[in-house]
Amino acid sequence: AVTDQTDALDVGAAFARSREKYDELVVTLSSAPAAGMTHSEVEKLVEREGNELMRRLLQDHFDLRATRETVVQSVVGSDGIERTHRRRLVRKLETIFGTVGVPRMQYGADGTSSLRPLDMELNMPPDLFSFGVRKHVAEEVATGSFETLVEKLARAPGAKVGRRQAQELAFKAAQDFDAFYEGRSDPAVAGSLALSGRGSILVITADGKGLVVRPEDLREATRKAAESQSHKLTKRLSKGEKRNRKRMATVASVYTIGQFVRRPGDILDDLRREKKAEKRPSPFRKRVWASVGKSSEAVIREAFVEALARDPGRKKTWMALVDGNADQIRIMERLAKEYEVELTIVLDIIHVIEYLWKAAYVFHKDWTQEAQDWVSERIRGILDGKAGHMAAGMRRSATWKGLTEAERAAVDECATYILNHTAYMRYDEYLAAGAPIATGVIEGACRHLVKDRMDITGARWSLDGADAVLRLRALWASGDFDDYWAFHEMQERERNHAALFALPITPTASHQQDAEVREVGTCA
């Protein structure tokens, strides 16, 4: 009972400043001036003063933790060196509520780095900003721009973060991205993913999207082409000049989806919007990501690893949706053999239709009913599994009309595209099996992950900076951000603290005090 009373007195004394602020706020809200405020004025008052109350609560908690920290004679690091010099230091921490000081015992020895066991227990960051601030920065970078983030933080009552600091925090926040997803290949994790996967079709899809990068980060051929160009404008790149300032980011997605059996006529009705579309299955556990620094093969290999984690027994129907990129198709076919997966590659029907429209304007005037009918007839033939016949027929039509090579160029381009990809255009079989035939998921990922954020006017990215932002946006878009952040904090604890100690340390096991400990003020 005496111990409980002592603890209660300790807690009461420790949180005296918080209680003082709370009482002060209550008096203010009960006063006559407050009675004349509008509700929004009261909100602003409580937000401002309440933030200071929370900052004090945090500060008082850290002070109480310091009084309860166990003081030991020495601490041994992972380097085997015993550290016996003790002194209590206070470090600053920028939190979402504002600046606090964190007192803790430091153990040192000549010629080696010092260790602070309480830092490990608190998982203190190695620099000024708390993980709460870091997570806020990462979330804002994932959904907006650095400029917007800095403006928001400048208006908020908590920590202030500059643009360069925000960039550095984003780099650090994204550093465990690969390790987080590699963990899914562990048998236990893979099993849980497989059990949670709905739908009998497992889809892998990839595409590319260019973004402007710094000259030193261009691929060699692109950089030489850029150096040979003359600029029309001094302040920005004019139309066409971005072509040799971009580096391709590879975008990938993996998801499962249920079967949705359709007929060719259903697809034509959807394209014409002649009837209300049937409700179709939605992608389940859709993961999207992108990288400008990694090769296409590296990103597509990650997609196969992710897919195997979801279907380790290879019981689902594996399909790859592509836009016709020959390199990506070769990579997918090679990796399918390497991982012993039966993979069906499907050419995106929308890309085929785009080629057909260009060919239609060779025979008919733009935007006419005749052009639309010509396209519809050939789409129907292709969906019926007669892609080769459609390609040959349009070439014969161009020849019968006596068109020159230049006049029939769009027809020949369309026919060549179809004939080169006939093996991936068995749409009659795909539709009967209930498989998807369009790359809407990856097209949306290219737009959301890359174009909407990375392709803004005046932006020139470094490879590391671009990949950091792409990773954070990918985590957010895939719904993995919170799980990733918990993993990231554990990784930070291991890197910054646990790996430095020889044995587990429990600094708050008792309330011991040591009269010989040197007390010092705040240090950076």
Side-chain angles (χ1 to χ4, degrees):
V2 172
T3 302
D4 291 343
Q5 290 174 3
T6 302
D7 286 344
L9 290 172
D10 289 345
V11 171
F15 287 90
R17 287 173 296 185
S18 299
R19 286 192 170 87
E20 178 185 8
K21 184 62 184 177
Y22 173 77
D23 291 340
E24 177 187 313
L25 181 55
V26 169
V27 169
T28 301
L29 292 171
S30 306
S31 66
M37 291 181 176
T38 65
H39 85 275
S40 63
E41 291 172 332
V42 177
E43 278 183 318
K44 291 175 184 177
L45 171 65
V46 172
E47 180 183 24
R48 182 180 67 252
E49 300 302 320
N51 187 83
E52 173 58 18
L53 172 59
M54 290 186 284
R55 191 198 67 80
R56 290 194 190 186
L57 284 167
L58 192 59
Q59 179 65 71
D60 289 344
H61 172 81
F62 289 142
D63 290 342
L64 181 61
R65 291 283 282 271
T67 65
R68 293 177 170 180
E69 181 180 8
T70 299
V71 178
V72 295
Q73 292 299 318
S74 64
V75 171
V76 180
S78 57
D79 54 11
I81 298 175
E82 184 178 16
R83 292 154 172 83
T84 58
H85 302 319
R86 293 168 293 166
R87 60 176 179 170
R88 192 176 299 281
L89 299 176
V90 181
R91 63 155 289 177
K92 287 182 179 179
L93 184 67
E94 284 290 335
T95 76
I96 56 177
F97 308 119
T99 306
V100 297
V102 184
R104 69 271 197 266
M105 196 66 66
Q106 175 173 286
Y107 297 81
D110 293 338
T112 189
S113 58
S114 298
L115 294 176
R116 293 164 288 276
L118 188 55
D119 276 5
M120 180 174 67
E121 183 175 302
L122 290 168
N123 194 15
M124 297 293 285
D127 51 30
L128 184 63
F129 297 101
S130 73
F131 280 116
V133 173
R134 290 162 180 258
K135 185 178 183 182
H136 182 61
V137 168
E139 288 172 334
E140 289 293 332
V141 169
T143 57
S145 67
F146 288 108
E147 290 77 9
T148 302
L149 164 66
V150 172
E151 290 174 5
K152 284 184 177 180
L153 291 176
R155 294 193 299 268
K160 304 296 184 262
V161 182
R163 192 179 193 282
R164 183 173 293 277
Q165 291 172 316
Q167 290 174 333
E168 293 172 353
L169 291 177
F171 297 157
K172 294 174 182 177
Q175 65 181 313
D176 295 312
F177 180 89
D178 288 336
F180 172 71
Y181 282 110
E182 285 168 5
R184 295 193 178 197
S185 62
D186 292 343
V189 178
S192 66
L193 284 173
L195 289 173
S196 65
R198 294 186 302 217
S200 62
I201 300 173
L202 179 60
V203 178
I204 295 174
T205 181
D207 202 350
K209 186 67 180 176
L211 64 151
V212 179
V213 298
R214 295 174 182 174
E216 61 269 22
D217 289 326
L218 291 169
R219 301 190 189 279
E220 185 176 359
T222 310
R223 179 174 52 78
K224 289 181 178 179
E227 290 172 349
S228 66
Q229 274 186 329
S230 58
H231 298 292
K232 300 175 184 177
L233 304 174
T234 58
K235 298 296 184 182
R236 57 177 294 179
L237 298 174
S238 60
K239 186 176 181 181
E241 291 182 347
K242 282 188 177 182
R243 185 179 299 110
N244 293 321
R245 300 297 190 279
K246 288 188 174 184
R247 181 162 172 156
M248 193 66 67
T250 302
V251 187
S253 180
V254 176
Y255 58 92
T256 56
I257 195 166
Q259 291 177 298
F260 183 53
V261 177
R262 290 165 293 169
R263 298 179 299 275
D266 298 327
I267 303 300
L268 288 171
D269 288 342
D270 285 347
L271 293 171
R272 296 168 181 158
R273 293 182 171 85
E274 291 184 350
K275 68 176 184 178
K276 186 177 180 181
E278 295 182 60
K279 185 177 181 180
R280 62 189 63 195
S282 298
F284 179 70
R285 287 192 63 86
K286 178 178 66 178
R287 180 194 163 194
V288 296
W289 71 102
S291 175
V292 67
K294 294 181 181 179
S295 67
S296 292
E297 179 163 353
V299 176
I300 296 173
R301 182 179 292 276
E302 290 173 355
F304 273 80
V305 172
E306 173 76 16
L308 284 167
R310 296 169 181 236
D311 185 29
R314 298 163 177 79
K315 296 179 180 179
K316 295 184 183 294
T317 300
W318 285 52
M319 307 199 76
L321 290 167
V322 300
D323 65 0
N325 183 287
D327 290 335
Q328 289 181 0
I329 292 173
R330 281 194 293 269
I331 291 168
M332 287 182 174
E333 290 176 334
R334 185 169 66 251
L335 290 176
K337 290 182 180 178
E338 179 181 332
Y339 289 108
E340 299 179 345
V341 171
E342 185 177 340
L343 182 71
T344 300
I345 298 178
V346 179
L347 184 70
D348 171 44
I349 188 63
I350 302 302
H351 279 76
V352 177
I353 293 172
E354 289 174 354
Y355 276 93
L356 287 173
W357 273 109
K358 292 177 183 178
Y361 295 147
V362 172
F363 302 113
H364 305 284
K365 293 182 178 180
D366 294 4
W367 309 110
T368 60
Q369 185 63 47
E370 291 78 10
Q372 181 173 314
D373 292 341
W374 188 93
V375 171
S376 296
E377 182 180 346
R378 275 134 196 92
I379 294 175
R380 181 59 188 253
I382 289 170
L383 292 173
D384 281 334
K386 302 174 183 176
H389 294 298
M390 296 299 104
M394 67 180 72
R395 275 185 169 164
R396 283 196 300 270
S397 295
T399 300
W400 290 339
K401 286 181 175 292
L403 301 178
T404 66
E405 183 176 346
E407 290 172 334
R408 62 180 290 164
V411 172
D412 289 332
E413 184 181 13
C414 177
T416 300
Y417 180 80
I418 291 173
L419 292 173
N420 286 345
H421 298 97
T422 302
Y424 317 116
M425 298 174 66
R426 302 192 304 274
Y427 296 116
D428 54 331
E429 298 176 17
Y430 307 148
L431 293 173
I437 61 171
T439 58
V441 169
I442 199 65
E443 296 288 340
C446 286
R447 182 176 62 254
H448 172 69
L449 287 184
V450 185
K451 183 175 175 58
D452 290 352
R453 174 65 183 91
M454 317 299 286
D455 198 23
I456 56 179
T457 301
R460 289 174 173 81
W461 297 91
S462 66
L463 292 187
D464 290 340
D467 268 353
V469 173
L470 287 171
R471 287 172 174 178
L472 294 175
R473 289 177 69 79
L475 288 163
W476 192 267
S478 302
D480 291 330
F481 190 90
D482 288 337
D483 288 343
Y484 169 79
W485 196 261
F487 175 82
H488 172 62
E489 287 198 23
M490 288 192 295
Q491 294 295 98
E492 284 284 276
R493 185 180 188 276
E494 179 63 31
R495 275 191 294 265
N496 300 325
H497 304 296
L500 306 179
F501 290 89
L503 296 171
I505 304 296
T506 309
T508 55
S510 69
H511 302 343
Q512 297 176 16
Q513 299 295 320
D514 193 327
E516 296 180 1
V517 172
R518 217 175 129 208
E519 299 283 347
V520 299
T522 301
C523 72

